Amino acid sequence: MESFLSRYKNALVLVTVLLVQVFGLAVQVRRPAPDAPDGRGARLIRYWVMSLIAPPERLLHATGGGIRGIWSTYIDLIHVHDQNEKLKAEIDRLRLEEASLTEDARQGQRLQGLLGFREHYIYQTVPAQVIGASGTEDSHVLIIDKGAKDGIRLDMPVITPDGIVGKTREVFDHSSQVLEISDSTSGAGVILQTTRIRGVLRGSAWGQPQIVNVSPDDRIKAGEPVVTSGGDAIFPRGLAVGTVERSVPDPDGTLMDVLIRPAANLSRLEEVLVITNMGDQIPGQTQLDIAESEQQKASDILAERLPSREDANAPQGQQTDELAGASADGDVARPIRPPAALRPDVFTPGYTPPAAGMTPGARLGRVLSGEGQPQHAPARQSAPVTPVPAAAAAAAAVATPSNAHHSEPTESVHAEQPEAVHKQQGPVLVHDYSGATPPQYQHPAEPRSVSPAASAAKPHTPATPPSDLHPASKTTIIVDGPAERPAAQHKKPAPPTTPATPPQRGY
Amino acid sequence: MALLASTRREADQQSFPLVVMLLAPLLALGLQSFVALHFPPFDVVDLPLLVTIYFAITWRNPLSATVAGALIGIAQDALTHHPLGVFGIGKSVVGYLAASLGVRIDTESHGTRLLVVFASTLLHGGIFWLLQHRMLAQPLVWSWLREIVRAVVNALVAVILFALLDKTKRQE
């Protein structure tokens, strides 16, 4: 027996080593899911190896980065003047863009708040240096220099400004492994941005991500952007993934696989961001904007658009611009209103000034100072009277004809409106809130009044023939838009002598 | 190209400092990870495998070479998302065979080393494919052309690397 062992010692050791490893493989493969974390033993071994490999790699990375920094800084100094000029021009251009984009973004956020729609915002990220890779072709794993001590946890999304990279797979104290989206064992929920086709992004054996098992669709074209759908509960929705490269039939031949060119350069990664916290908490100014938007009721929004809200006799203190009030209170969340358009309902060619003539920040300054608001704003600073509640104004505006003819101010509106209308440049949208006629455009040449004489002179409302109109059944019209109106127009209508009968509607 | 076995006495007269024996595998793993990150085509080269082969043919002790191959392979597995043991098994077998071969033929010449590394790389690739694709049912593409290119590149790199490692040998 002893001679057998000594004779076949080497072979026995080899067989033993192989059996131990095969047994270890079998134990590891028995995990409940392929993506499940390793067992304690395997994790311990990975931890030891990472502890041995990561510090020298970190040192190598730092040294290499220092040398690269010195070199690139020296090279950059040669062209620094030209670059400076280009950057200044770029800053000027970006400031112009920022001024308009800020308004658009805030408006969009307010509207989101009104709709009750909560986007998952990226709340907190941890920047990390990529200090290593798996070093093998078939394993697309990166090693980053941040770990559990830095707030990294398992299955956290890893991104770059260009697009997603992958997710954390193994997390140690000061380093982590990142499984790239190009690895064959990775997966992410994605959506094609244009066609809105959803799918699952998987890596492949040759390292190219692909959306698998997609129904054949002619609309899928090369170059279409692909973004995350958020359905995998790992990546927040809307992050860039890449672009469609081409579609190929899947091995079964019934469905298709869409090959994706990743947006992030996965083979040249140096810095990445690990998203450590996602939530619907929207920070700072945005939260305040949305909260304000949610508090604004629909009736207020309607009343804000009604001309009767602007009472010519309202006291100056009570009709003060919201912006001014907000400034006095120090409320940074006041809404910024864009300058009023000449014609809010139609496009005005040539109204937008050329970019070359604009000053960065000037538009924002005009908005903050109240310039560009509707031209009838000075009417607010007239004699003090009790302000008309918006709802009451709206009710008066849609009052029944029997009430309308008692109201003298209403008469004056009809008498003076055509003159005001002539000052306008384009067609004006006219609403008939009694429901008798649909909203229509009136052109400046046309009389604004719907009195019988005017209607008979130029009929433009097919739903209400002139013959049906009667002096006693005038319809009050509400003009939408910043048209100038005389002060008498804004007077509170006289109370009805008889209780108004609510219109009977059969819903 | 001499395929004659060198004398056992010559082999026994050569040894490595402990620092080299510990640092060489670690450096191979670290460089493999670091260089492949900044130069992706470098992952064709398998530095840990080359170090395993070098120690195997230099020690000419199958037992030590098997254990060293297993340890280096498991350490390499730890840097990937494979289950631990895929590279370990491959390098154990390669280490054992290379050491067994080193007893019988002269592995000091460049030509022999070229052939040994070429064959060992192909064998290692085959074992890896067998384990990964057949045993673990993981997607893996096998291409003869790619494996041969990989074996040639590794053989060429090995000639240079082995010459460098020869400088660290200590004559007793």
Side-chain angles (χ1 to χ4, degrees):
Chain A
M1 183 65 181
E2 189 178 347
S3 63
F4 175 80
L5 288 178
S6 60
R7 183 176 178 184
Y8 296 104
K9 185 178 64 177
N10 293 335
L12 285 174
V13 168
L14 174 66
V15 171
T16 308
V17 168
L18 292 183
L19 281 178
V20 167
Q21 293 187 76
V22 169
F23 180 74
L25 272 179
V27 169
Q28 294 173 72
V29 170
R30 281 185 57 199
R31 284 177 297 178
D35 266 356
D38 291 324
R40 274 186 63 188
R43 184 174 161 74
L44 195 63
I45 293 173
R46 289 188 198 275
Y47 177 75
W48 286 340
V49 174
M50 289 285 290
S51 302
L52 283 172
I53 298 298
E57 282 195 329
R58 205 187 302 258
L59 189 66
L60 274 173
H61 188 271
T63 309
I67 293 171
R68 269 203 312 271
I70 293 170
W71 180 259
S72 60
T73 305
Y74 174 73
I75 296 297
D76 282 349
L77 283 176
I78 298 172
H79 306 290
V80 72
H81 183 73
D82 293 340
Q83 283 186 352
N84 196 28
E85 293 300 320
K86 287 179 184 172
L87 289 174
K88 280 181 179 175
E90 184 75 6
I91 287 171
D92 290 343
R93 188 181 64 78
L94 290 176
R95 277 181 178 162
L96 289 175
E97 282 186 16
E98 187 200 4
S100 87
L101 287 178
T102 302
E103 289 178 12
D104 291 345
R106 290 186 177 182
Q107 185 184 20
Q109 286 160 359
R110 283 197 297 273
L111 290 174
Q112 272 187 356
L114 283 174
L115 291 171
F117 177 75
R118 290 287 185 185
E119 185 81 29
H120 283 283
Y121 284 88
I122 297 171
Y123 189 59
Q124 192 175 3
T125 58
V126 172
Q129 293 275 341
V130 179
I131 58 172
S134 68
T136 59
E137 276 181 315
D138 59 299
S139 174
H140 297 267
V141 171
L142 299 173
I143 302 168
I144 58 175
D145 67 343
K146 294 288 192 298
K149 299 275 188 191
D150 306 292
I152 311 291
R153 299 284 178 270
L154 198 67
D155 282 339
M156 282 183 168
V158 180
I159 62 172
T160 67
D162 296 329
I164 65 170
V165 173
K167 62 179 181 179
T168 53
R169 188 182 173 278
E170 292 287 344
V171 180
F172 307 103
D173 282 352
H174 298 288
S175 59
S176 306
Q177 286 185 344
V178 176
L179 186 67
E180 292 180 309
I181 54 170
S182 55
D183 192 273
S184 56
T185 59
S186 72
V190 295
I191 186 169
L192 297 177
Q193 198 169 49
T194 310
T195 55
R196 311 309 292 173
I197 296 172
R198 288 176 178 268
V200 176
L201 183 81
R202 290 203 170 279
S204 60
W206 57 94
Q208 184 169 23
Q210 55 186 353
I211 305 175
V212 296
N213 298 335
V214 178
S215 299
D217 196 326
D218 292 338
R219 294 176 300 161
I220 301 175
K221 303 289 184 195
E224 181 176 358
V226 181
V227 297
T228 52
S229 67
D232 52 15
I234 291 178
F235 292 99
R237 58 182 294 175
L239 295 181
V241 174
T243 52
V244 173
E245 191 170 295
R246 61 193 165 93
S247 303
V248 294
D250 74 341
D252 296 337
T254 53
L255 299 172
M256 296 181 72
D257 293 342
V258 181
L259 302 183
I260 303 298
R261 184 191 302 276
N265 190 352
L266 299 178
S267 59
R268 291 276 189 279
L269 288 172
E270 293 193 7
E271 290 91 17
V272 294
L273 291 172
V274 185
I275 301 174
T276 55
N277 194 358
M278 288 183 301
D280 53 2
Q281 292 179 332
I282 306 161
Q285 178 66 44
T286 312
Q287 273 190 339
L288 294 172
D289 283 347
I290 290 177
E292 184 192 13
S293 301
E294 285 175 344
Q295 289 169 2
Q296 195 174 15
K297 294 178 181 175
S299 59
D300 295 339
I301 296 169
L302 177 63
E304 196 174 345
R305 295 178 179 177
L306 292 175
S308 57
R309 188 188 185 193
E310 293 138 9
D311 196 329
N313 298 324
Q316 186 175 354
Q318 296 188 19
Q319 292 270 348
T320 312
D321 197 332
E322 288 178 17
L323 292 178
S327 300
D329 298 340
D331 180 11
V332 294
R334 63 188 185 276
I336 295 178
R337 301 183 190 287
L342 286 179
R343 291 175 291 175
D345 47 354
V346 293
F347 174 66
T348 309
Y351 176 60
T352 305
M358 294 178 72
T359 306
R363 190 179 174 211
L364 192 64
R366 284 180 61 231
V367 171
L368 289 170
S369 63
E371 290 181 45
Q373 297 296 321
Q375 295 300 314
H376 49 270
R380 297 172 178 179
Q381 302 174 1
S382 53
V385 294
T386 305
V388 182
V398 296
T400 56
S402 61
N403 296 333
H405 76 277
H406 292 291
S407 172
E408 201 169 317
T410 310
E411 292 285 346
S412 68
V413 168
H414 293 294
E416 296 177 23
Q417 255 185 354
E419 192 178 328
V421 167
H422 284 297
K423 294 178 182 177
Q424 294 205 348
Q425 298 294 320
V428 177
L429 187 65
V430 178
H431 294 279
D432 179 2
Y433 284 90
S434 67
T437 58
Q440 297 178 39
Y441 285 106
Q442 278 194 343
H443 294 276
E446 296 172 352
R448 189 67 162 278
S449 170
V450 291
S451 63
S455 297
K458 188 168 184 178
H460 58 279
T461 54
T464 310
S467 57
D468 295 345
L469 296 173
H470 187 270
S473 62
K474 287 177 182 173
T475 303
T476 304
I477 61 168
I478 310 297
V479 180
D480 194 3
E484 287 188 11
R485 277 176 286 275
Q489 176 186 346
H490 304 296
K491 283 182 181 176
K492 184 179 178 181
T497 52
T498 56
T501 306
Q504 299 294 325
R505 293 190 178 186
Y507 288 108
Chain B
M1 180 166 42
L3 285 175
L4 301 173
S6 56
T7 60
R8 188 77 198 172
R9 186 189 299 168
E10 279 180 21
D12 290 342
Q13 284 173 349
Q14 297 174 344
S15 66
F16 291 95
L18 184 64
V19 181
V20 174
M21 285 195 291
L22 290 176
L23 273 185
L26 283 178
L27 206 61
L29 285 169
L31 276 178
Q32 181 76 36
S33 169
F34 183 76
V35 180
L37 172 68
H38 297 284
F39 184 58
F42 187 79
D43 57 16
V44 171
V45 180
D46 194 342
L47 287 178
L49 176 68
L50 299 185
V51 171
T52 304
I53 296 171
Y54 179 77
F55 282 130
I57 61 177
T58 309
W59 288 340
R60 301 175 183 183
N61 182 346
L63 196 150
S64 308
T66 303
V67 174
L71 292 177
I72 292 173
I74 288 173
Q76 193 177 4
D77 280 325
L79 296 177
T80 70
H81 67 290
H82 302 145
L84 300 182
V86 175
F87 282 130
I89 291 173
K91 287 183 174 54
S92 300
V93 175
V94 167
Y96 177 84
L97 293 178
S100 303
L101 206 61
V103 177
R104 290 171 176 77
I105 63 172
D106 179 19
T107 53
E108 298 295 320
S109 71
H110 295 323
T112 315
R113 288 175 170 181
L114 209 67
L115 285 178
V116 169
V117 173
F118 180 83
S120 299
T121 307
L122 280 180
L123 176 66
H124 183 265
I127 294 171
F128 177 76
W129 180 82
L130 196 70
L131 291 170
Q132 189 76 358
H133 190 63
R134 290 291 175 190
M135 189 172 160
L136 301 176
Q138 294 294 314
L140 195 66
V141 178
W142 176 270
S143 162
W144 274 108
L145 180 65
R146 195 183 61 177
E147 293 303 320
I148 288 173
V149 168
R150 184 204 299 263
V152 169
V153 171
N154 273 291
L156 293 174
V157 172
V159 171
I160 301 167
L161 181 69
F162 289 3
L164 288 175
L165 287 172
D166 281 342
K167 304 281 185 191
T168 64
K169 276 183 183 173
R170 190 171 52 195
Q171 296 290 337
E172 292 179 347

